[in-house]
């Protein structure tokens, strides 16, 4: 992680890369920086942004920061707040030295709205006129030189996808950095009515001093921005109250005399665009039905559209659960091999145990998810880049709305099937805090890939392969059932929370339908690479730390007397010529005794009264405690608990048998199918994931919501597991 | 004068006024759909309850519900 220093002094030159969504901004970013880009943190904003290095002939190495795509500078979603902070340089960020604005040439007038806003701030701007090669296909001609003259900033036609015009762009950036005045118009482009000037002056007077408002042009731009952006409830938590009060008062006063400030400000800019467009824009006759239209006729069709959508989802799931398998197996083998190699080279004892069971297994339990994470991001990337994602929101909106969720909640919910951490990050595109919170609180209920090993272990151990009605495999049915169950609970919880805690309407759906484009594989691959790296570092550190702590809890304190007794019995047995089996049996006993003595064992027995009504014993309790760090830890913890060593996964038949044989003091088996079902229900609902809690805390900036999430999912899990177990017993299924 | 949701697909119209809440109105206007702007209704999604419009060469979608608050005048041809 690199950190951007907040002040201008002593830092490298920084260019902010901004633009509307779907303009090929990220493709250009990758073209200009290669794979050198790192995910960095903006200090104080705690939102990542990708920062790459760009080499220019005379300016040398400069930083290029990829800013989230935005249609305007009036922030509504959390992502847009970051965009605004980065472009305008609101505290704690300093204004960038230059803004490189990507403009979609095929949708010029709409894109120029943001361009006008950015130019108004007084920061030097260079415009990259992207998709230049596609102008003919939409029947439009643009005079780039005339556009540059009208705007007063350099304009360079490029095609990011084909890498055309990039040398000219670098040259223009270099020149603009050397002569900032050449990348700024001499005067404000849009002029306001005298009435609006009064509003601007009054808002400008209320701007805080640390917004660097010495430059009158920047002061006016920020005042306009405040008049348009601030509202009673918005995402702009950092805006001072005095400014908000002034803005609200001006808006009310204007409304009283029949003026609408928003419309006046926005109209001013579009009037400028429409008045000047004839000088640089010529529209030829409309082209015949475009490819996008032909595709949409099928993909948005009420019947075929849904069929295509289900097919696409089927493909995603099939790949997540079966295509990823060989890669997961290979990673598991590699980790096992590496562990054996390392442990063999260490002297037997505590250190070898620690390195093998805690460190290597801990890292391994995270790396194992990589294939699924990579595939998921690959699909999301392809769907977004091709333009299909907007269609999905279009198709799903009615369903989501019926539940009280926003159409945009669909993507995070779907991502939740892989991992809640990236899914929660994906909620940033939502414009209303209510919609975003609601989605964030139900996403952890979706069956993430960490639950898979637990389900796989329990189903394989407790439900023998058989067929329902002679052809439906029961094991597969159970797995699908768990997915359905968790999804339905998530939707039900959203419906309840949306009508109670988060009353109010969700933001009206307003989406752009970008034309279909061939996805740029380079930028999709670069995105997958970066997101996977974030997952490995963010989730990795937490899971590793938890595995280490669990290992410590289960290994200490050691029972010296007990160990000595086992040593004595072992040598007795060996002298008596006991079989390997008997020796192994003794080792198991030794491990179980050590476990009972350990802190973890005591904790497990401590919580036993609370989980007994669910049919769980104290050993399962230890597994549950371990799983509160991360669910997949359950499988390896149960391996340790049952003295199998840490080297177990859901495929280990030994652990399955051990689970089948595990008995209570009275000889009855601990694990009945009913207990297994209750355990799976518990796992489906409880938010046993430190990384999720950590990410919710970071995104909501406080402990309130992560604690709420933890408590409500825990209570729900306990109640549902209780209902399953006690209900099953009452029906005589125990 | 009529409302956007009552137009049939393929019709061109001029926007007269936008109702609804402020955040929605602002966003629509910032996307270039101001009173006086010409638009074309591209399609209605029967299942989705969503309308697709063409404004300034870009495609936008709005819900049926909100489309009711957009007053339009159909244009000839």
């Amino acid at each position: 992680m690199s950190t951007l220093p907040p002040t201008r002094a002593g830092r490298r030159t920084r260019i902010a890369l901004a633009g509307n969504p779907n303009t090929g901004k990220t493709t250009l970013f990758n073209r200009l920086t290669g794979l050198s880009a790192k995910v960095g943190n903006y200090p104080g904003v705690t939102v990542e942004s990708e920062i790459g290095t760009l080499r220019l002939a005379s300016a040398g190495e400069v930083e290029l920061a990829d800013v989230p795509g935005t249609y305007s500078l009036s922030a509504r979603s959390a992502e847009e707040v970051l965009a605004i902070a980065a472009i305008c340089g609101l505290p704690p960020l300093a204004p960038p030295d230059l803004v490189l604005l990507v403009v979609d040439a095929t949708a010029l007038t709409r894109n120029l709205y943001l361009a006008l806003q950015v130019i108004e701030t007084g920061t030097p701007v260079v415009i990259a006129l992207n998709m230049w090669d596609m102008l003919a296909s939409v029947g439009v001609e643009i005079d780039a030189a005339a556009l540059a003259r009208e705007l007063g900033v350099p304009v360079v036609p490029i095609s990011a996808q084909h890498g055309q015009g990039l040398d000219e762009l670098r040259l223009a950036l270099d020149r603009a950095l050397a002569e900032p005045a050449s990348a700024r118009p001499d005067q404000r482009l849009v002029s306001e009515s005298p009435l609006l000037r009064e509003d601007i002056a009054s808002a400008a007077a209320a701007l805080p001093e640390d917004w660097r408002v010495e430059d009158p042009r920047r002061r006016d731009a920020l005042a306009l921005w405040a008049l348009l952006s601030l509202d009673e409830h918005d995402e702009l938590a950092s805006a001072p109250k005095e400014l908000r009060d002034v803005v609200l008062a001006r808006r009310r006063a204007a409304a009283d005399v029949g003026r609408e400030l928003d419309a006046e400000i926005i109209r001013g800019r579009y009037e400028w665009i429409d008045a000047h467009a004839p000088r640089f824009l010529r529209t030829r006759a409309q082209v015949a039905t475009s490819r996008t239209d032909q595709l949409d006729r099928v993909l948005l069709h009420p019947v075929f559209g849904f069929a295509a959508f289900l097919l696409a989802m089927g493909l995603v799931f099939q790949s997540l659960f079966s295509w990823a398998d060989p890669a997961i197996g290979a990673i598991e083998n590699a980790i096992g091999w590496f562990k054996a190699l390392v442990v063999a080279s260490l002297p037997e004892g505590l250190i070898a145990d620690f390195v093998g069971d805690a460190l290597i297994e801990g890292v391994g339990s995270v790396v194992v998810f990589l294939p699924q994470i990579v595939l998921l991001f690959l699909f999301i990337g392809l769907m977004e880049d091709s333009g299909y994602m907007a269609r999905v929101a279009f198709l799903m909106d009615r369903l989501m709305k019926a539940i009280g969720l926003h159409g945009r909640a669909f993507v995070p919910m779907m991502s939740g099937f892989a991992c809640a951490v990236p899914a929660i990050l994906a909620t940033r595109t939502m414009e209303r805090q209510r919609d975003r919170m609601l989605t964030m609180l139900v996403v952890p209920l979706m069956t993430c890939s960490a639950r898979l090993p637990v389900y796989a272990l329990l189903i394989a151990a407790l439900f023998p392969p058989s067929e329902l009605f002679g052809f439906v495999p029961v094991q597969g049915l159970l797995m699908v059932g768990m997915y359905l169950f968790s999804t339905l609970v998530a939707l039900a919880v959203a419906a309840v929370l949306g009508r109670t805690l988060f009353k109010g309407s969700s933001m009206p759906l307003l989406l752009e339908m970008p034309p279909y484009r061939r996805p740029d594989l380079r930028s999709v691959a670069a995105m997958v690479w970066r997101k996977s790296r974030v997952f490995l570092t963010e989730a990795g550190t937490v899971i590793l730390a938890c595995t280490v702590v669990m290992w410590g809890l289960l290994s200490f304190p050691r029972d010296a007397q007990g160990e000595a007794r086992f040593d004595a019995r072992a040598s007795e047995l060996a002298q008596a010529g006991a079989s390997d089996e008997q020796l192994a049996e003794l080792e198991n006993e030794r491990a179980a005794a050590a476990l009972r003595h350990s802190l973890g064992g005591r904790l497990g027995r401590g919580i036993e009264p609370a989980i007994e009504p669910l049919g769980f014993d104290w050993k399962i309790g230890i597994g549950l405690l371990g799983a509160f760090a991360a669910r997949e830890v359950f499988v390896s913890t149960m391996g340790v608990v049952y003295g199998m060593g840490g080297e177990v996964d859901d495929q280990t038949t030994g652990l399955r048998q051990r689970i089948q044989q595990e008995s209570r003091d009275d000889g009855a088996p601990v694990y009945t199918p009913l207990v297994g079902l209750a355990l799976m229900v518990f796992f489906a609902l409880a938010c046993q994931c430190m990384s999720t809690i950590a990410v919710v805390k970071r995104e909501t900036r406080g402990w309130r919501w992560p604690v709420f999430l933890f408590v409500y999912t825990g209570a729900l899990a306990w109640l549902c597991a209780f209902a399953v177990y006690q209900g099953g017993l009452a029906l005589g299924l125990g | 004068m009529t409302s956007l949701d009552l137009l049939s697909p393929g019709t061109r119209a001029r926007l007269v006024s936008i109702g609804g809440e402020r955040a929605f109105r602002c966003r629509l206007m910032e996307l270039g759909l101001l009173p006086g702007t010409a638009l074309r209704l591209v399609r209605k999604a029967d299942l989705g309850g969503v309308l697709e419009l063409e404004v300034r060469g870009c495609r936008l979608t709005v819900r049926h519900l909100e489309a009711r608050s957009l007053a339009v005048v159909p244009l000839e041809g």
Side-chain angles (χ1 to χ4, degrees):
Chain A
M1 290 248 168
S2 66
T3 299
L4 294 177
T7 53
R8 199 177 265 266
R11 68 162 172 81
R12 289 205 292 178
T13 304
R14 189 192 315 148
I15 300 179
L17 178 62
N20 282 191
N22 311 309
T23 48
K25 192 168 62 66
T26 307
T27 309
L28 178 64
F29 178 75
N30 288 317
R31 281 277 183 188
L32 290 177
T33 62
L35 272 180
S36 69
K38 281 205 186 87
V39 176
N41 256 329
Y42 283 103
V45 201
T46 62
V47 176
E48 310 79 32
S49 168
E50 276 153 16
I51 297 151
T53 304
L54 173 66
R55 240 171 288 277
L56 297 175
S58 54
E61 285 197 352
V62 301
E63 275 179 359
L64 187 67
D66 193 9
V67 173
T70 175
Y71 292 110
S72 80
L73 285 189
S74 6
R76 295 198 181 94
S77 71
E79 209 167 60
E80 285 169 329
V81 174
L82 172 72
I84 278 81
I87 297 171
C88 299
L90 297 183
L93 302 180
D97 298 283
L98 181 82
V99 175
L100 170 53
L101 193 73
V102 187
V103 162
D104 179 355
T106 64
L108 186 63
T109 57
R110 213 272 317 281
N111 276 252
L112 282 182
Y113 180 81
L114 176 67
L116 284 181
Q117 268 190 314
V118 176
I119 291 170
E120 269 170 21
T121 66
T123 305
V125 173
V126 170
I127 289 183
L129 203 50
N130 196 18
M131 320 244 179
W132 187 252
D133 52 323
M134 293 173 41
L135 282 182
S137 68
V138 291
V140 165
E141 273 174 46
I142 296 175
D143 181 345
L147 178 61
R149 260 198 313 279
E150 296 301 325
L151 290 174
V153 304
V155 174
V156 184
I158 66 161
S159 163
Q161 186 154 17
H162 299 109
Q164 289 158 359
L166 300 187
D167 290 338
E168 290 84 345
L169 182 61
R170 282 194 196 91
L171 216 62
L173 291 173
D174 221 357
R175 212 176 297 138
L177 283 173
E179 282 174 63
S182 70
R184 245 191 312 234
D186 302 329
Q187 53 190 6
R188 279 185 66 88
L189 297 173
V190 181
S191 49
E192 289 85 12
S193 70
L195 278 174
L196 190 53
R197 292 257 19 125
E198 276 173 37
D199 296 310
I200 294 173
S202 136
L207 290 172
E209 271 175 34
D210 61 349
W211 284 15
R212 295 161 198 261
V213 288
E214 307 80 34
D215 174 16
R217 237 199 273 181
R218 177 174 159 84
R219 193 173 56 225
D220 283 356
L222 290 180
L224 271 172
W225 169 82
L227 285 172
L228 206 49
S229 296
L230 296 181
D231 211 334
E232 276 115 272
H233 21 248
D234 52 38
E235 288 267 351
L236 300 153
S238 64
K241 190 181 172 300
E242 309 82 71
L243 178 61
R244 194 178 301 265
D245 289 345
V246 168
V247 166
L248 291 177
R250 295 305 295 200
R251 193 176 295 142
R252 259 195 312 272
D256 287 345
V257 293
R259 289 171 62 214
E260 197 184 350
L261 283 189
D262 308 318
E264 280 181 35
I265 298 171
I266 300 170
R267 182 182 295 280
R269 296 191 182 120
Y270 272 108
E271 274 173 357
W272 186 95
I273 295 169
D274 290 336
H276 291 73
R279 301 189 193 162
F280 50 75
L281 180 71
R282 200 162 305 121
T283 311
R284 284 190 274 116
Q286 264 293 312
V287 277
T289 329
S290 66
R291 216 175 35 159
T292 292
D293 264 327
Q294 290 166 348
L295 272 171
D296 269 344
R297 234 170 254 168
V298 179
L299 292 179
L300 293 180
H301 189 274
V303 178
F304 303 131
F306 264 95
F309 170 66
L310 290 179
L311 205 70
M313 290 300 105
L315 192 76
V316 171
F317 277 100
Q318 177 68 15
S319 73
L320 283 186
F321 301 123
S322 61
W323 299 355
D325 246 14
I328 293 173
I331 290 175
E332 279 173 348
N333 286 340
I335 290 163
W337 171 82
F338 180 66
K339 181 181 162 187
L341 193 80
V342 171
V343 170
S345 69
L346 290 169
E348 206 171 308
L350 206 56
I351 294 179
D353 279 359
F354 176 73
V355 172
D357 292 343
L359 287 187
I360 300 181
E361 283 293 322
V363 174
S365 64
V366 181
V367 177
V368 148
F369 289 106
L370 203 55
Q372 287 181 329
I373 298 281
V374 165
L375 276 171
L376 185 85
F377 280 127
L378 181 69
F379 279 110
I380 290 184
L382 288 177
M383 282 167 73
E384 254 166 15
D385 227 42
S386 62
Y388 187 56
M389 202 58 109
R391 273 78 186 176
V392 171
F394 187 104
L395 288 169
M396 297 308 291
D397 183 60
R398 176 168 280 189
L399 175 67
M400 298 306 257
K401 193 175 172 351
I403 295 153
L405 284 167
H406 194 262
R408 287 192 193 189
F410 181 76
V411 176
M413 301 276 281
M414 201 190 78
S415 312
F417 281 128
C419 178
V421 173
I424 286 168
L425 296 183
T427 60
R428 282 187 193 155
T429 56
M430 290 187 205
E431 298 169 23
R432 189 158 291 181
Q433 186 72 29
R434 169 203 177 267
D435 298 339
R436 187 164 180 233
M437 290 301 310
L438 200 52
T439 314
M440 246 193 262
L441 289 177
V442 299
V443 154
L445 289 170
M446 306 301 281
T447 300
C448 69
S449 55
R451 285 162 170 119
L452 267 181
V454 180
Y455 293 167
L457 172 72
L458 292 172
I459 290 177
L462 302 174
F463 300 92
S466 62
E467 272 87 39
L468 200 64
F469 311 123
F471 65 94
V472 185
V474 167
Q475 292 189 333
L477 196 66
L478 268 171
M479 195 61 116
V480 173
M482 292 313 297
Y483 273 90
L484 269 180
F485 172 71
S486 76
T487 310
L488 289 178
V489 171
L491 296 181
V493 168
V496 170
L497 287 182
R499 282 163 181 76
T500 53
L501 268 184
F502 296 98
K503 256 194 199 150
S505 56
S506 89
M507 177 77 191
L509 181 81
L510 187 55
L511 283 174
E512 190 194 0
M513 286 280 188
Y516 290 107
R517 293 198 176 110
R518 186 193 307 263
D520 181 48
L521 292 182
R522 284 166 54 124
S523 48
V524 172
M527 185 274 291
V528 170
W529 160 247
R530 288 197 198 105
K531 299 254 174 174
S532 308
R533 209 159 60 174
V534 171
F535 168 79
L536 278 184
T537 48
E538 292 229 341
T541 41
V542 174
I543 294 180
L544 178 62
C546 293
T547 317
V548 169
V549 169
M550 273 321 286
W551 177 85
L553 281 180
L554 294 178
S555 308
F556 296 101
R558 303 221 143 186
D559 178 7
Q561 286 178 345
E563 291 284 316
R565 270 201 304 280
F566 274 105
D567 282 344
R569 278 176 63 191
S571 49
E572 260 171 50
L573 274 174
Q575 271 168 7
S579 66
D580 284 353
E581 225 165 86
Q582 281 172 302
L583 283 174
E585 183 67 24
L586 186 71
E587 278 308 307
N588 273 346
E589 245 177 82
R590 179 210 290 264
L595 182 73
R596 192 177 274 267
H597 191 78
S598 73
L599 203 55
R602 289 177 213 176
L603 282 174
R605 285 214 300 281
I607 65 161
E608 196 170 26
I611 55 174
E612 216 168 5
L614 315 182
F616 309 159
D617 71 351
W618 66 274
K619 291 182 182 174
I620 299 179
I622 299 176
L624 288 182
L625 286 178
F628 270 107
R631 296 176 185 94
E632 59 277 21
V633 174
F634 180 77
V635 176
S636 60
T637 307
M638 291 326 274
V640 176
V641 168
Y642 292 134
M644 311 281 305
E647 305 141 65
V648 290
D649 55 55
D650 52 277
Q651 304 300 318
T652 312
T653 41
L655 184 56
R656 281 186 211 166
Q657 280 168 6
R658 198 67 191 73
I659 281 179
Q660 286 157 2
Q661 289 158 6
E662 182 70 10
S663 59
R664 294 182 194 271
D665 295 337
D666 60 2
V670 170
Y671 291 92
T672 60
L674 190 61
V675 170
L677 205 59
L679 197 49
M680 287 201 290
V681 164
F682 189 87
F683 265 92
L685 303 180
C687 182
Q688 298 161 297
C689 180
M690 296 284 222
S691 315
T692 303
I693 300 284
V695 120
V696 171
K697 187 212 158 227
R698 205 182 63 173
E699 293 296 305
T700 59
R701 286 176 217 155
W703 279 110
R704 188 165 156 223
W705 293 111
V707 167
F708 173 79
L709 172 69
F710 185 79
V711 170
Y712 105 76
T713 55
L716 200 61
W718 193 92
L719 286 173
C720 289
F722 180 82
V724 166
Y725 183 68
Q726 298 296 341
L729 283 185
L731 292 171
L733 299 173
Chain B
M1 198 157 79
T2 177
S3 63
L4 183 66
D5 60 310
L6 298 176
L7 290 184
S8 49
T11 320
R12 288 175 190 284
R14 189 171 296 281
L15 185 67
V16 177
S17 67
I18 314 175
E21 50 181 306
R22 181 178 167 257
F24 173 73
R25 281 202 317 270
C26 277
R27 178 117 308 187
L28 256 191
M29 290 192 288
E30 290 197 312
L31 286 170
L33 189 57
L34 291 136
T37 312
L39 59 90
R40 183 169 70 93
L41 183 67
V42 180
R43 66 168 57 79
K44 297 179 175 180
D46 301 333
L47 275 162
V50 179
L51 307 179
E52 186 177 348
L53 340 163
E54 191 174 72
V55 183
R56 295 177 177 270
C58 303
R59 297 291 177 85
L60 302 177
T61 58
V62 290
R63 285 187 186 133
H64 235 278
L65 187 71
E66 278 99 34
R68 259 182 247 161
S69 62
L70 300 187
V72 294
V73 182
L75 294 176
E76 298 303 313

